[in-house]
Structures are given as C-alpha cells and as structure tokens.
C-alpha cells in the first residue's frame, strides 16, 4: 500500500485542504482543461498545500484522467479523490489516486433530515449503515480516508455524533463537518465542533475538518471559528471560487492566521509569497476575474487613494496596512516597463509579478509585450498581467483568432471579416450583424457552428487612459454547461473575438470528452 499521510501531531498546526480543482471547478463556467489542472496542481504542491482534492473521478473520464495524472506528479501533498457512498464511486476514486505518494479517498453522504428525506429518500439507520460500509470499503483501498457528512450543520446532533463515531470506528482518519449551504454562524459552528469532539468517544483518533460555503458571506469567519472549536484541517479554494457564492478563500484563511496570531495561535505550511501568483493562475485558467476589492489578492488590496491614507502611508506603512504587499507576493512597482525594455528586464518583471514561464512561453509573451508597447504609451503591471493571463489561458486552444477587420458606423448593417486558425488551417468568413460585436460573433459562429447561448458579455478597462487594454469576458451556455472565456487587447473588438473564441474552445474540449454535468457534493 502507498505511503500514508502524516498524522497531525502539533496541536497548533492547521492542514490546508485545497479543493479548487474539485469544488472550485463546479462553479458554473469555471471548467479547466486537463493541462490547466496540472498547472494549478503543481503550483498548489509547490506552495505548501497539505491536501489537494484533485477531482471527482467518477464524474467523467476527463476528471478521472486528471486526478490520476495529478496523483503521479505531486511530490509533497496528499492527493484526494472525492466519492459518494456507493462502491463504484469509491473504487473509481481509489483507482485514480493509486499512484500518489500519499493517496486519500474522500467519501461523503448526506445526514440532515431534509437531505435524507428528499435527496436520498432513506431512513437514518440506512444512512448510518452506508457510512460504515463506504468508509470500510475506502479503507481497504487506502490508509487515509476522509468522511464528510453533507449538510452537516443542519444535521441533528445526536445522529451526527452516531455517524462520526461509526465512521471513525470503520477507519476514517479525517472527519469533515461541512456547512454545505452556507447556513451556520461562527458561534454555532465553533460550538458544533466542541460538542461533537466531546460527545464522540473515539474523536481523538481523527483530525476534524471544516468546509464552509459563502452564501451569507461567512465562509472564512466560520472556518476560523471551526478551528477554534478544535478542527485542524480547513477545506478552501483559491480566490474562494466554488458553487453558488463560493467557498472559504484559501488566501484569506492563511493570512488571517498569519496576521492575527494573537487571536488565532495556529500555523500553516503555506508559502504566503505565492498567494498572489496562485490567485492570478486560477483566475487565468478559469477566466474568472478577481474583484478589485478582494481581500489579500485583489488589485486594490494594497492601493491607497484617500489623501489621509496616503499621508499616513508615507509616514509609516503600518498606519493603513496590516500586512506588507511582499508577504503575499505583490510587487510595489507599477510603471517601469516600455518598448525599450529587454528580455532580462521582462523576465525580472514577470518574476516580480509571480509568473514563471518556460523559454518558449517567455519568448511568445515577450513578443506580445513588445507589440503592446508599440501600441500603448504606458505599459502598467496590470497590462502585463492581462497579457500573460491571456497567454496561459489560450496556450492549449485549438482555434485562435488570426485576423479581424470590422466595418462599423451609423449606417448599418455592420460587418466583420474574420480569419481563424484551426491547428494550422486558416479559414475566413464575412458576416453582418446588428452592431460590430454581433457581426463578429456571427462570423465566429459561421466558422465554429454551435448552439451555445450567450449568458454574459462584459467589457472593462485594464488600466486608465484611452489607449487602455479592454478586458472582455464572455460566458456561454450549452446543454446546461457554462464556460467562460476572457481576453484583453487595446482593440475592444479584437478582445471580444478572442474572448468568444476562447469560450468556444472550452465548449469544444468538453464536447470531445463527453463529460456529464459536474456532480454535486459537500
């Protein structure tokens, strides 16, 4: 049997369980490609994440393949695969994580009255039997088994304690009590963990875990409260992405513990200087922009515009900053690059911004940067970030925008002549529409036939000025599946075409794998 995960021995050590690749990817439109998942997993492993939940192996062939490959290449973290209580799920998860140095099967079943009655249509005693059977089945495959009670915070305490005791007795090494629907409050969640740990006789034989959703904006607060109640594993995602309102944000958990050690006397193994880099990578591969005022990693997290604040910052940064930008991997510099900058300076700038590219990718990015510098008077850090994020997101796309000409004005209809590159084959078409963007999208649809519905078309400026790059986000829905594409360019229409094509690339990738809709879980 493979090497087992080290048990928690330091009472102050909090394990970071990242579920960006599983729960995060269930966020509508946030689907990642196989290659993107591997890239995210590598970064998570390098930054010190303790457990990487790589996916839901039985959900699709693509999910299984991604979990299997991540299991093979991760060197430090435990690799977990999620499974429902059914034996087919558990066996599939066990097969997927088999090659990991530290494999884990994470199995779950609903325990709340509303879930048991309406979702499972089972009686409590039947659910309890399934808890024992599923954990025992998983324990026969791996030594590290996590059991979760879906909708745990709405589960009756007596039944919850019975299930937890049975799961540990059957071999569970980690017990997760999730706030699946984001319903609980910090005081309730803290008390819940204390109650369960006091009432369950064998509670000391397992690590307890929190998993909080952000429906009421309390995911991070609840997670920290759960730690105070005795939990020593936190399940979270980069940028807080996830179903509905999302999950507890990894970066916020880590920095809250680090910054407020007086209130939270715990430690994690995360290299905080990689938090910004992780945020940018996940944003790029999911095409989900990070809101400007997002804690820790938002663009404005360390920005000060108020005169009073600026005056205080000039006198002492601690007047308005409780952590340094450098501590989370943010560079202070904002305007040093231009068309005369060379490769060495560009490479150094990328390192400051948290990017590490291979030589070929670096050369492509440098050429894109020089082209941008020729079109734009000032090149800001945000411009470079938008450029690199676009390169990362489009690195494995099979269809690309090669050229675009648009005729627009007050006298319609507007027209667009578009050439797309299909893995080296060029195809051109001309189309008209009610406005230039409509014409462009009609041209794309003529070359890439699809029945997708346009759910979102959004344009924002990357920086200030009339020559600013436009960042365009496009979300498409097809057969109940949503994907998001994002692109940036000084020409808004070019950015629109690239964003639309990027989203279609993701739809094509999903079609080719025939993946069903993501299965719902804790």
């Amino acid at each position: 049997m493979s090497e087992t995960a080290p048990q928690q021995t330091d009472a102050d050590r909090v394990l970071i369980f990242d579920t960006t690749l599983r729960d995060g990817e269930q966020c509508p439109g946030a689907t990642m490609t196989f290659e993107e998942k591997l890239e995210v997993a590598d970064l998570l492993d390098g930054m010190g994440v303790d457990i990487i939940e790589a996916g839901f192996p039985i959900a699709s062939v693509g999910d299984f393949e991604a979990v299997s490959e991540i299991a093979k290449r991760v060197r430090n973290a435990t690799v977990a695969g999620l499974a429902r209580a059914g034996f087919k799920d558990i066996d599939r998860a066990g097969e997927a994580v088999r090659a990991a140095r530290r494999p884990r099967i994470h199995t779950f079943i609903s325990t709340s009255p509303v879930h048991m009655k309406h979702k499972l249509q089972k009686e409590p005693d039947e659910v309890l039997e399934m808890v024992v059977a599923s954990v025992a089945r998983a324990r026969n495959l791996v030594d590290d088994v996590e059991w979760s009670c879906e909708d745990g915070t709405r589960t009756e305490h007596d039944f919850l304690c019975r299930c937890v005791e049975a799961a540990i007795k059957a071999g569970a090494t980690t017990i997760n009590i999730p706030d699946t629907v984001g319903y609980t409050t910090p005081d309730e969640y803290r008390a819940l963990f204390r109650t369960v740990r006091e009432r369950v006789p064998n509670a000391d034989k397992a690590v307890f875990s929190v998993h909080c959703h952000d429906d009421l904006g309390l995911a991070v607060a609840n997670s920290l409260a759960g730690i105070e109640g005795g939990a020593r594993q936190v399940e979270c995602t980069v940028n807080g992405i996830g179903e509905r309102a999302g999950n507890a944000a990894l970066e916020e958990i880590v920095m809250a513990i680090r910054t407020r050690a007086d209130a939270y006397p715990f430690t994690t193994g995360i290299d905080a200087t990689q938090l910004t880099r992780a945020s940018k990578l996940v944003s790029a591969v999911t095409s989900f922009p990070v809101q400007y005022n997002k804690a820790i990693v938002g663009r404005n997290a360390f920005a000060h515009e108020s005169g009073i604040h600026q005056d205080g910052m000039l006198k002492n940064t601690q007047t308005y900053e409780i952590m340094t930008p450098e501590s989370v991997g943010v560079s202070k510099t904002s305007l040093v690059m231009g068309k005369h900058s060379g490769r060495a300076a560009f490479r150094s700038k990328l390192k400051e911004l948290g990017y590490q590219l291979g030589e070929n990718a670096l050369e492509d990015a440098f050429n894109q940067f020089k082209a941008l510098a020729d079109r734009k008077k000032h090149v800001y850090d945000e411009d470079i970030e938008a450029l690199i994020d676009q390169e990362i997101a489009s690195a494995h796309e099979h269809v690309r925008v090669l050229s675009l000409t648009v005729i627009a004005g007050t006298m319609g209809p507007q027209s667009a002549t578009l050439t797309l590159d299909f893995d080296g084959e060029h195809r051109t078409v001309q189309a008209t529409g009610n406005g230039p963007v409509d014409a462009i999208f009609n041209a794309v649809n003529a070359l890439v036939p699809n029945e997708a519905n346009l759910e979102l078309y959004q344009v924002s400026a990357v920086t200030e000025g009339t020559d600013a790059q436009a960042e365009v986000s496009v979300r498409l829905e097809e057969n109940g599946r949503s994907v998001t594409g994002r692109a940036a360019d000084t020409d808004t229409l070019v950015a629109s075409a690239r964003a639309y094509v990027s989203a279609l690339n993701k739809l094509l990738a999903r079609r080719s794998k025939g993946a069903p809709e993501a299965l719902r879980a804790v």
Side-chain angles (χ1 to χ4, degrees):
M1 194 167 285
S2 301
E3 182 181 345
T4 61
Q7 292 298 309
Q8 182 62 42
T9 56
D10 183 354
D12 295 331
R13 177 75 154 80
V14 174
L15 301 174
I16 299 298
F17 177 115
D18 182 276
T19 184
T20 301
L21 297 172
R22 199 278 300 171
D23 205 341
E25 203 201 15
Q26 286 181 194
C27 180
T31 302
M32 305 175 214
T33 65
F34 178 82
E35 294 81 6
E36 289 167 346
K37 288 183 178 181
L38 300 186
E39 193 169 358
V40 172
D42 287 343
L43 180 53
L44 295 175
D45 191 36
M47 69 188 288
V49 166
D50 297 288
I51 303 99
I52 299 172
E53 188 165 56
F56 207 156
I58 206 168
S60 69
V61 173
D63 237 30
F64 176 84
E65 292 174 348
V67 174
S68 299
E69 185 60 29
I70 290 169
K72 294 174 185 175
R73 62 194 288 153
V74 163
R75 290 291 169 261
N76 302 307
T78 293
V79 177
L82 186 70
R84 293 166 299 187
F87 286 0
K88 288 183 179 180
D89 273 47
I90 292 169
D91 293 347
R92 189 67 165 163
E95 185 181 355
V97 301
R98 181 185 301 165
R101 292 181 63 194
R102 299 186 177 94
R104 173 182 292 189
I105 293 176
H106 178 194
T107 183
F108 70 96
I109 191 169
S110 298
T111 54
S112 69
V114 65
H115 274 225
M116 289 190 292
K117 179 180 179 180
H118 298 290
K119 177 182 173 182
L120 300 180
Q121 298 181 333
K122 293 183 180 298
E123 294 299 318
D125 286 344
E126 294 180 275
V127 171
L128 186 60
E129 290 177 4
M130 293 179 70
V131 171
V132 174
S134 60
V135 171
R137 181 80 168 199
R139 189 59 191 265
N140 284 332
L141 300 175
V142 296
D143 291 335
D144 188 0
V145 175
E146 176 173 342
W147 176 75
S148 289
C149 45
E150 185 175 10
D151 204 19
T153 54
R154 294 194 296 175
T155 297
E156 295 174 343
H157 287 190
D158 287 345
F159 184 63
L160 177 60
C161 289
R162 288 176 62 200
C163 289
V164 170
E165 182 178 358
I168 297 174
K169 187 175 181 180
T173 51
T174 299
I175 298 294
N176 179 43
I177 306 177
D179 185 29
T180 305
V181 293
Y183 178 75
T184 198
T185 65
D187 286 345
E188 290 175 350
Y189 206 45
R190 184 187 302 108
L192 176 61
F193 277 91
R194 287 175 177 167
T195 296
V196 174
R197 292 177 65 244
E198 288 171 0
R199 290 180 54 181
V200 173
N202 52 1
D204 60 324
K205 293 181 172 59
V207 174
F208 279 76
S209 176
V210 299
H211 179 119
C212 298
H213 282 263
D214 208 33
D215 298 73
L216 294 177
L218 295 172
V220 171
N222 285 333
S223 297
L224 294 171
I227 295 172
E228 291 177 315
R232 289 297 178 267
Q233 176 180 287
V234 178
E235 305 193 4
C236 46
T237 61
V238 175
N239 295 336
I241 66 170
E243 290 194 78
R244 304 185 311 278
N247 292 55
L250 181 151
E251 60 277 2
E252 295 178 26
I253 296 290
V254 169
M255 293 310 293
I257 291 174
R258 176 170 172 168
T259 306
R260 290 303 310 276
D262 57 327
Y264 306 111
F266 312 108
T267 61
T268 73
I270 300 295
D271 177 4
T273 62
Q274 296 193 52
L275 291 175
T276 296
R277 180 183 168 207
S279 171
K280 293 182 187 304
L281 176 61
V282 170
S283 177
V285 300
T286 60
S287 295
F288 267 48
V290 178
Q291 66 190 63
Y292 286 6
N293 62 333
K294 168 74 173 64
I296 314 300
V297 293
R299 183 181 298 178
N300 291 346
F302 296 95
H304 306 272
E305 185 171 338
S306 161
I308 296 173
H309 285 209
Q310 290 175 344
D311 179 66
M313 285 294 295
L314 291 172
K315 293 173 179 174
N316 188 314
T317 57
Q318 294 184 9
T319 54
Y320 289 102
E321 283 186 355
I322 60 173
M323 65 195 90
T324 65
E326 295 85 353
S327 68
V328 296
V330 175
S331 169
K332 287 182 177 180
T333 326
S334 62
L335 181 62
V336 293
M337 302 299 293
K339 63 181 181 180
H340 300 296
S341 299
R343 285 177 178 79
F346 184 66
R347 182 185 288 108
S348 177
K349 168 56 67 178
L350 293 186
K351 186 175 180 180
E352 287 179 11
L353 295 175
Y355 295 101
Q356 291 182 354
L357 304 182
E359 285 304 314
N360 291 337
L362 178 66
E363 186 65 22
D364 290 342
F366 180 70
N367 291 334
Q368 293 286 338
F369 160 71
K370 295 294 278 188
L372 176 63
D374 282 336
R375 289 181 288 153
K376 201 172 184 298
K377 184 176 181 180
H378 298 303
V379 179
Y380 295 85
D381 286 358
E382 292 86 353
D383 290 312
I384 297 175
E385 289 168 354
L387 184 152
I388 300 301
D389 288 346
Q390 180 171 296
E391 286 295 306
I392 292 173
S394 64
H396 305 287
E397 292 181 350
H398 296 289
V399 183
R400 295 171 179 263
V401 175
L402 196 64
S403 66
L404 174 68
T405 301
V406 178
I407 298 176
T410 56
M411 301 298 292
Q414 287 71 34
S415 67
T417 302
L418 175 71
T419 301
L420 297 182
D421 182 317
F422 293 81
D423 287 330
E425 179 187 349
H426 299 171
R427 303 176 194 172
T428 302
V429 72
Q430 183 177 17
T432 59
N434 184 21
V437 174
D438 188 47
I440 292 169
F441 288 4
N442 287 340
V444 174
N445 292 335
L447 292 173
V448 187
N450 66 88
E451 297 181 358
N453 297 315
L454 180 64
E455 291 186 322
L456 172 72
Y457 172 74
Q458 180 175 293
V459 182
S460 59
V462 173
T463 59
E464 62 207 30
T466 56
D467 62 350
Q469 288 193 92
E471 188 171 72
V472 177
S473 295
V474 169
R475 186 163 67 236
L476 301 178
E477 181 274 329
E478 183 182 68
N479 298 325
R481 306 168 185 165
S482 293
V483 295
T484 304
R486 190 170 59 167
D489 196 276
T490 52
D491 188 319
T492 304
L493 298 178
V494 172
S496 300
R498 288 176 174 166
Y500 193 70
V501 169
S502 176
L504 284 176
N505 269 286
K506 293 183 179 181
L507 277 182
L508 293 173
R510 297 193 70 174
R511 281 185 200 165
S512 66
K513 292 186 177 180
E517 287 190 50
L519 298 174
R520 299 301 183 229
V522 295

